Every structure is written in C-alpha cells, then in structure tokens.
Amino acid sequence: MNSTFQTTWPRIAGLIVAMAAAASIAAFDRSGDSRTAGQKVDDTIAKVEQKTEEIKAEVREAARDAKQAGADAAQGASNKVGEAKQATVNVAEAAADKVKDAVITSKIKSRLGSEPSLSGLVITVDTQGGRVALRGSAPDRAAADRAESIARAVDGVSSIDNQLAVVVKP
C-alpha cells in the first residue's frame, strides 16, 4: 500500500493544484473583487496547501487504521494457530496415553496367561491412565494376590484395583 501511495499521491496533488489554479483564473474574471491577481493566487495557493495537508492527514489516519486492522487480523490468526496447535498436542497426548494403557493391559494379560496357577482363569484387565482394575474370579486369595503382584510388576502401572472375587468351587 505504501508504494502505491507514494506513486499516486504526487498525481493527486498535481491535479488539486491544477484545479485550484483554474479556479483562481476563473476568479480573476469576477468583478467587484478588489484584490490583485497576486493576492488571489496567493489565497488560492494557501487554500490548496491547507486542503493538501488535510488530505495528507486523512491518508495518514487511514494508513494507521489499515495497519492496526492488519495487526489485529495477524494477532487473531496467530491466536487461532496457537489454539489449533494446542488442540493437536492434546489429541496426540490423549492418543499416546491410550496406547500406553493398551500396552500395559497387553503385558499384564500376557503375563497372567503364562502363569500356570492363573492361566485357566478369566481375568478382565482394564487400564486407564496407568490405573489397572482386575475383575473376575480366583479360586483362592493367593491366586488373587498373585494376579495383583504380576500386574503391579508391569512398567507404567500406577495403582491396582484388585476386584477379583474368591470363588471356592465345591
């Protein structure tokens, strides 16, 4: 915008001066005006200069307004980019947490399945945020405690909620 202003402004100013000069010449033809031609030209030049300064001030103000609007738009866009970036980070972190929980669950199920005293039992393992819940039944308290011990040994486990019910079969 600034380069357009710099090339257009002299043309506009020249046009204004030419119009003022034409008006000045037309004013010479009026009767009853006691001013000399030089005074009339001086008055016209003064009016043109005043109008030029007013136009310059308006252009400067418009340029400031445009610059501020551009800065506001850029800040708004920057804020939106920051929000989108944070949303992406949040989604990625949530996905990573889900993957970590799935890995913990898989490791616990694998280890429970490879334990001879527990391999025949149906034990449900739910993991959320590193907190593990064991559900199902065990033939005795020792088996339930052994399942909890195996789960606790897996990396990433922060707590165990052992809900295994001891069910003695007759």
Side-chain angles (χ1 to χ4, degrees):
M1 178 178 152
N2 195 19
S3 64
T4 303
F5 174 75
Q6 289 175 343
T7 58
T8 305
W9 175 247
R11 291 179 188 155
I12 292 172
L15 182 60
I16 291 171
V17 169
M19 289 171 52
S24 164
I25 291 171
F28 289 144
D29 293 337
R30 292 187 192 161
S31 58
D33 192 352
S34 63
R35 295 180 297 161
T36 66
Q39 289 172 331
K40 290 178 183 179
V41 170
D42 288 344
D43 287 347
T44 302
I45 290 173
K47 288 177 185 176
V48 168
E49 287 175 348
Q50 180 182 359
K51 194 62 174 172
T52 301
E53 290 304 316
E54 289 172 10
I55 292 171
K56 282 183 182 179
E58 289 173 7
V59 169
R60 282 189 203 108
E61 184 177 344
R64 276 192 302 273
D65 291 347
K67 183 178 179 180
Q68 184 60 46
D72 292 347
Q75 183 61 44
S78 176
N79 291 344
K80 292 298 180 187
V81 168
E83 290 170 10
K85 182 179 177 181
Q86 187 58 48
T88 302
V89 168
N90 293 347
V91 168
E93 288 174 352
D97 289 344
K98 295 279 185 195
V99 169
K100 288 176 188 175
D101 288 343
V103 168
I104 290 170
T105 298
S106 295
K107 285 181 179 180
I108 292 171
K109 286 182 177 183
S110 173
R111 291 178 185 178
L112 291 174
S114 65
E115 177 68 28
S117 64
L118 302 174
S119 62
L121 303 178
V122 177
I123 299 176
T124 302
V125 179
D126 291 319
T127 307
Q128 196 169 39
R131 295 179 306 278
V132 176
L134 301 175
R135 295 183 187 89
S137 59
D140 53 41
R141 189 73 246 158
D145 291 343
R146 179 71 183 129
E148 181 177 339
S149 175
I150 289 171
R152 193 173 301 284
V154 172
D155 285 337
V157 173
S158 60
S159 65
I160 302 286
D161 181 13
N162 190 346
Q163 299 175 18
L164 293 173
V166 176
V167 178
V168 180
K169 293 185 181 181

